[in-house]
Amino acid sequence: MTRLRLAILISGRGSNMEALLRAAADPAFPAEPVLVVSNRPEAAGLHFAEAAGVAALSIDHKTYGKDREAFEFHVDSTLRGAGVEIIALAGFMRVLTPWFVKRWDGRMINIHPSLLPKYKGLDTHQRAIDAGDTEAGCTVHWVSAGVDEGEIIAQARVPILPGDTAETLAARTLPAEHRLYPEALAAACRQISQRDKKT
Ligand code: GAR
């Protein structure tokens, strides 16, 4: 089995990245992490990646001011230089331009803390509580031009309990994310490998 060369893009804590790195420590996992990139130099996740022996670097979006494409050009050339074949966004909190999304079409996935198509964007847990929903969850999806709109790969559900706050619901959802993301990444890798075999 060939393992796809994986890059993980983060912005902060990196607990989902950690879950992916733990899963990929198994040589039978279909992705091999080769690079972690953060758009924030202070992201805590960078330290975990380094300690796990994965190359980790930051490309600070602030350096580029409003020039999103220049920032993304740097990210893109860094990923290509590392021979990356699949990107997992893991708490990466920058909206990507259509240029970058198109460049990685069919090779980039994201985890989002809601049951898409509900609650795209931010404050997902509070919005689910305010709507009176009885369940929430998380979704892994292919990244497409519309934010949080790409085809769904997998979802996990958690209950919303009386008295929940955004914080308690986030704390219940996060472990579900950590279970879901490695499984969904493996499924995405299998799809890409099948596709590559045919072409
Ligand atoms: C996770 O809950 C992830 O689903 C969410 O940010 C958190 C990052 O935590 N992502 C988004 O909201 C993307 N729109 P982590 O840095 O510990 O993985």
Side-chain angles (χ1 to χ4, degrees):
M1 182 200 58
T2 56
R3 305 177 80 197
L4 295 183
R5 293 173 68 80
L6 166 70
I8 307 171
L9 269 52
I10 64 170
S11 295
R13 180 178 54 183
S15 70
N16 276 290
M17 172 211 71
E18 211 176 306
L20 297 181
L21 294 183
R22 287 189 202 283
D26 177 352
F29 192 80
E32 173 196 3
V34 295
L35 188 60
V36 170
V37 178
S38 172
N39 65 309
R40 294 184 186 278
E42 69 279 10
L46 289 170
H47 304 293
F48 182 93
E50 274 164 12
V54 178
L57 56 90
S58 65
I59 300 176
D60 188 352
H61 69 273
K62 290 201 197 104
T63 318
Y64 297 87
K66 290 204 166 91
D67 193 347
R68 281 183 183 268
E69 288 204 359
F71 162 71
E72 291 179 0
F73 189 79
H74 190 173
V75 175
D76 180 69
S77 56
T78 304
L79 298 176
R80 293 200 182 260
V84 167
E85 296 168 292
I86 181 167
I87 301 173
L89 305 179
F92 182 71
M93 302 309 275
R94 296 289 292 170
V95 172
L96 294 162
T97 68
W99 174 79
F100 190 91
V101 171
K102 191 151 185 273
R103 244 171 114 67
W104 290 93
D105 185 30
R107 291 189 172 269
M108 178 158 55
I109 65 174
N110 179 45
I111 187 155
H112 183 75
S114 79
L115 292 172
L116 290 173
K118 280 186 158 183
Y119 314 124
K120 297 166 187 164
L122 300 175
D123 298 325
T124 55
H125 301 302
Q126 191 59 54
R127 286 156 66 205
I129 292 167
D130 291 347
D133 293 356
T134 54
E135 62 174 8
C138 49
T139 303
V140 178
H141 63 94
W142 293 100
V143 176
S144 66
V147 175
D148 301 327
E149 283 185 355
E151 190 190 331
I152 291 171
I153 300 168
Q155 289 186 313
R157 292 165 189 275
V158 297
I160 299 180
L161 301 177
D164 259 343
T165 62
E167 289 71 32
T168 59
L169 182 54
R172 190 173 310 118
T173 308
L174 198 60
E177 295 189 39
H178 297 161
R179 286 189 295 274
L180 183 71
Y181 210 0
E183 280 173 25
L185 170 60
C189 287
R190 286 192 291 271
Q191 282 191 40
I192 291 173
S193 299
Q194 287 292 326
R195 210 196 302 139
D196 287 352
K197 248 187 243 163
K198 285 186 197 149
T199 53

